[in-house]
Amino acid sequence: MIQILAENNFFYVIDKPAGLSVHNQTPSVQEFIKALEKPEHFVNRLDRETSGLMLIAQKPEYHEPLSFALGQGLKIYRALLRGHIKEQTLLWNKPLTDQAEGRKNPQGLSKNRIACSTEFTALRTSKYFTEAHLKLNSGRQHQIRKHTALANHAIVGDPRYNDDSYNANIFKLYDVNRMFLHAEQISFEFEKQSYHFISNSFSLDQFFKAEL
């Protein structure tokens, strides 16, 4: 179920569930918003498989300045990564294309790669999984999904950059079926006001209660 977490004259913020397209498939975020007769000026978009915060402008003229403000602000994702990562913090900065790729070559063609970086902070880890915060310092398509895959710690459940047989095994063992990536926090300044939003709808406790 989509939740509206905050709203003012400039924008509103929703919490999107995993498995829901923004506008390309039915059901979609766009259909939900239309039913509420609310504006559809998406400032940021999330992949169908990703859950979490989306910012939507109330008027067309607010879209570009809000997009700029969010780009200058803070975006933090929470994710479940495959395998144990011993480091507490890492900076992943391999250049990436700004388009969807595949697990064989997440970076894409070298001529199309653009500089970018993702900051990794471990939250908890086990023999099999690492829960992490991932801070975007740029905005390439599938950036977090690609950087984690290139680090050999792909997001659990990622249908594009993780292994299908691994995902299927996890889904069966834990009785779940989704990609474990969540847009958890956004912070930005707009019209001389500071805004910070957190989504608390995402939990990975089930993966750390007992090891396989």
Side-chain angles (χ1 to χ4, degrees), residues 73-89:
L74 180 71
K75 289 177 285 186
I76 296 178
Y77 289 68
R78 187 182 291 258
L80 183 69
L81 307 186
R82 180 176 179 175
H84 172 80
I85 302 178
K86 63 181 180 179
E87 292 86 357
Q88 181 64 34
T89 60

Side-chain angles (χ1 to χ4, degrees), residues 2 11 32 35 53 151 170-171 194:
I2 296 175
F11 62 81
F32 172 80
L53 300 177
I170 293 297
F171 295 160
S194 295

